[in-house]
Amino acid sequence: MLAFAVVHLYITDMTSGSSLSSARTPAFESPLATARAQLRRAIDQLNLTENDWNTLSTPRRILEVAVPLRRDDGRVEMYKGYRVQYSTTRGPSKGGVRFHQDIDLDETVALAMLMTWKCALTNLPYGGAKGGVAVNPKTLSLAENERLTRRYTSEILPIIGPERDIPAPDVGTDERNMAWMMDTYSVNAGYSVPGVVTGKPIVLGGSLGRTSATGDGVAIAVREALRIKGIPVEGATVAIQGFGKVGYWAARALESMGLTIVAVSDVHGGVTGSINISQLNNHVSEHGSLSGAPGAETITNTELLHLPVDVLIPAALSDAITESTASGIQAKIVVEGANAPTTPRGDEIMSDKGILVVPDILANSGGVIVSYFEWVQDKQNYFWSADEVRQNLNSIMMRSINEVAETAKAAAVTWREAANMIGVGRVAQAHRLRGLYP
Ligand code: NAD
């Protein structure tokens, strides 16, 4: 039997998802309101029923936990942790673990919902989940980070597992956190369970190509969007907001495809001019941020968004492209490396300007695709070559991109709407085929 510390009833108003089809949207909505509005629109566009809305707009399981941490100096602090399993209809739930001081339950539900449509869009046999701890990991020593990760894992342990829910890295966590999570789960199980998390170090059953997978997938999305827009890949210019796991690896992959990265940024600001991605990465490893990178000009994050480039990649946090920042965007294509980087008004403004937006659930799906490969390899205890991973990633990304482009054309909708229609439609169909128990 499962024993939960605290199980929340989901109390957000489930009946308020009115159709967005007619009115212009307000300037700001929370990530959850935005995600619910996008779901409502997909349901309307697919002519699904109110029963579908009721099932699809409700997260299946929400766990909120208290995570006590003994600091190195002996003080004990309490942090809030979450794990949201939005859907398990198409398979075990799957989604990242975020360590960030600003996360809350609403945002975690929104991100778990996006994971559900993303896994369905890419046709992976998963539902969707998300979790995290409201903590700034930069304030933790390595030992504190390990204790916090292990305690969070043990608090959510009753509901995770290779057949139940499989966490992965997200903002503020990496393969080291996944190793601690895998170890904590395995110690409790009494044997090694590598398939409980993905994004692990290779020696613990991680997959070749997982570290760079999200960035590699973003680069494939950029390449295909340029092709569709008739812009040559060689020499196309790119600005990237966020120089973490997604932004950095996307920059590397795009450079190797022949594109020119003209600017990158992190939470402290950006750099432009003559920039070299490997050197910038060395600078970040040494100094913790892009600030003071030699030979580069400094720009703000907003200035980066407004550069005259072919492609803009938001690869940091939610709500980067808003009513106030969207109108200055000059890029022809926006490829969403981050989850939910665009508010509804930002989306409308970009659509009015004729910008092709490759939505998050398509553009950044490379991470969960290679996580799926890692899980499959762990289940089989048989590991693939880097080439196999790369080729399979490319073929799933290409299949999804083509499906979205064709649906957008056939239904005369944006790529975001097309992606949501495919993802939501698949989950709705799975619900209907499984039926309602009892
Ligand atoms: P990360 O923690 O490795 O890096 C985040 C980067 O964004 C850092 O460079 C940070 O300085 C920067 N940043 C933070 N706040 C910022 C701000 N206000 N303005 C500008 N830059 C800011 O995180 P990540 O794993 O690269 O994730 C980035 C985004 O991509 C998130 O939205 C995440 O959910 C999404 N994503 C990640 C993965 C993955 O595999 N890691 C997969 C899919 C989607």
Side-chain angles (χ1 to χ4, degrees), residues 240-259:
I240 305 177
Q241 183 196 52
F243 199 61
K245 294 183 290 297
V246 179
Y248 166 67
W249 286 107
R252 286 276 302 264
L254 289 164
E255 258 188 354
S256 71
M257 287 177 182
L259 288 91

Side-chain angles (χ1 to χ4, degrees), residues 265-324:
S265 69
D266 63 19
V267 66
H268 304 290
V271 291
T272 186
S274 147
I275 59 176
N276 174 303
I277 297 303
S278 294
Q279 279 173 10
L280 287 179
N281 190 44
N282 292 341
H283 181 84
V284 171
S285 303
E286 251 177 68
H287 303 278
S289 91
L290 289 164
S291 306
E297 280 169 51
T298 304
I299 52 168
T300 66
N301 263 294
T302 307
E303 284 165 347
L304 178 141
L305 295 178
H306 296 162
L307 287 173
V309 286
D310 294 308
V311 183
L312 172 65
I313 303 177
L317 295 181
S318 308
D319 295 343
I321 302 179
T322 62
E323 178 162 42
S324 62

Side-chain angles (χ1 to χ4, degrees), residues 290-374:
L290 289 164
S291 306
E297 280 169 51
T298 304
I299 52 168
T300 66
N301 263 294
T302 307
E303 284 165 347
L304 178 141
L305 295 178
H306 296 162
L307 287 173
V309 286
D310 294 308
V311 183
L312 172 65
I313 303 177
L317 295 181
S318 308
D319 295 343
I321 302 179
T322 62
E323 178 162 42
S324 62
T325 55
S327 44
I329 292 179
Q330 301 187 61
K332 302 177 187 82
I333 297 167
V334 169
V335 177
E336 295 182 337
N339 283 312
T342 306
T343 66
R345 274 298 289 144
D347 220 14
E348 283 168 356
I349 292 166
M350 288 198 288
S351 171
D352 291 347
K353 286 162 75 90
I355 297 170
L356 173 60
V357 178
V358 184
D360 46 9
I361 64 168
L362 176 61
N364 68 32
S365 61
V368 73
I369 293 169
V370 178
S371 274
Y372 165 62
F373 299 161
E374 180 173 332

Side-chain angles (χ1 to χ4, degrees), residues 142-223:
L142 189 65
E144 289 169 342
N145 195 329
E146 176 174 354
R147 287 198 289 276
L148 189 82
T149 305
R150 288 187 183 279
R151 184 58 188 254
Y152 167 69
T153 308
S154 73
E155 294 297 338
I156 65 165
L157 196 130
I159 65 167
I160 61 172
E163 310 300 333
R164 285 185 177 149
D165 180 13
I166 306 123
D170 190 71
V171 174
T173 57
D174 58 20
E175 63 172 30
R176 202 174 41 194
N177 300 87
M178 295 305 113
W180 294 326
M181 289 189 80
M182 178 265 193
D183 182 67
T184 304
Y185 189 91
S186 299
V187 165
N188 278 275
Y191 54 94
S192 203
V193 189
V196 64
V197 292
T198 57
K200 298 177 294 295
I202 308 282
V203 289
L204 296 179
S207 176
L208 292 171
R210 175 59 184 91
T211 311
S212 62
T214 311
D216 289 341
V218 166
I220 293 168
V222 168
R223 183 190 70 203

Side-chain angles (χ1 to χ4, degrees), residues 3-7 63-66 155 158:
F4 298 162
V6 183
V7 179
L63 179 59
E64 181 180 316
V65 294
E155 294 297 338

